[in-house]
Amino acid sequence: MRQDRKPVVEFWYEFASTYSYLSAMRIETLASDYGVEIAWRPFLLGPIFKKQGWPTSPFNLYPAKGHYMWRDMERLCRQYGLPFTLPSPFPQDALLAARIAHAAQNQPWIGAFTRAVFIAEFGQGLNIADESLMAELLLEIGAPARTALSTAQSRENKISLRAAVTEAEKLGIFGAPSFVIPGGDLYWGDDRLEQALEAAGNLVETDA
């Protein structure tokens, strides 16, 4: 009898995104509960926002929306037992972290690295554009820091990350976090994480 492979949910996240922080800290445990696997897909929202005429985060452009978001983050982090510190500036320059994660998306330490960056940024208020901080985080999780940083800054990886942004746009992604399940259905927002995982998990039954 054929053994079904677990369905894969693509987790598209941006390191400067507050709600991506919440999903990144929860997704591996929840994915295991729902019987699905995660494909880590770091990308950059900046180029997508610019095409919409937004020079920065909409949470900065619309003060009332930003005020609500920070209060919402305080409540949700308290609910999930996560540390929370307002980073300055916001949004952070996430380019280096995104390049490292993009190059390492198939490495066994991608989840640990992603969580470490988010904790440093939104849990401790540290500057994730700092290369020395990235090296420290890589070493802490047991990753080859020198190789990871070198690969991240390679021409090939920079081009590949730009291509990932284009792929995100083609998938209809306009914000983060976003989740794409087999078949192409898109779910946006941390509050849709469980719904996306459940929908993907149900595909095992309908495919049997």
Side-chain angles (χ1 to χ4, degrees):
M1 180 179 293
R2 177 177 61 88
Q3 184 177 0
D4 291 323
R5 296 181 59 186
K6 290 182 178 181
V8 177
V9 174
E10 294 186 1
F11 171 36
W12 291 82
Y13 60 99
E14 150 78 79
F15 280 113
S17 160
T18 49
Y19 291 103
S20 289
Y21 167 45
L22 302 179
S23 291
M25 302 305 294
R26 304 187 300 130
I27 194 167
E28 280 195 323
T29 298
L30 288 171
S32 178
D33 292 341
Y34 284 100
V36 304
E37 294 183 352
I38 299 301
W40 300 81
R41 300 302 310 270
F43 75 118
L44 298 169
L45 271 175
I48 295 175
F49 283 171
K50 286 180 181 178
K51 288 185 179 180
Q52 299 180 51
W54 297 345
T56 184
S57 166
F59 294 124
N60 288 344
L61 295 174
Y62 305 103
K65 188 173 185 177
H67 177 76
Y68 173 83
M69 181 272 292
W70 292 121
R71 185 70 185 101
D72 194 39
M73 285 294 297
E74 291 176 356
R75 291 190 296 251
L76 289 170
C77 285
R78 188 181 308 115
Q79 176 184 332
Y80 297 143
L82 297 173
F84 179 67
T85 299
L86 176 64
S88 181
F90 175 81
Q92 290 269 305
D93 178 356
L95 180 58
L96 177 58
R99 285 175 175 170
I100 295 171
H102 179 74
Q105 60 188 281
N106 295 317
Q107 295 295 326
W109 45 267
I110 179 61
F113 174 73
T114 297
R115 289 187 293 272
V117 173
F118 275 122
I119 285 290
E121 179 183 16
F122 292 113
Q124 301 172 306
L126 301 178
N127 178 14
I128 62 170
D130 185 349
E131 184 172 330
S132 63
L133 173 61
M134 292 296 102
E136 180 182 336
L137 296 179
L138 286 163
L139 290 173
E140 286 179 357
I141 64 169
R146 183 173 299 179
T147 300
L149 288 168
S150 175
T151 303
Q153 299 289 34
S154 68
R155 180 175 180 272
E156 292 78 11
N157 188 60
K158 293 176 181 178
I159 293 173
S160 182
L161 178 57
R162 288 196 291 270
V165 175
T166 300
E167 181 184 354
E169 291 180 288
K170 289 180 179 178
L171 289 169
I173 291 173
F174 54 88
S178 289
F179 314 96
V180 180
I181 70 172
D185 272 354
L186 172 66
Y187 296 79
W188 170 58
D190 176 67
D191 58 349
R192 292 294 181 267
L193 171 56
E194 287 90 344
Q195 185 179 359
L197 296 176
E198 182 179 15
N202 288 339
L203 294 175
V204 175
E205 299 177 8
T206 58
D207 224 18

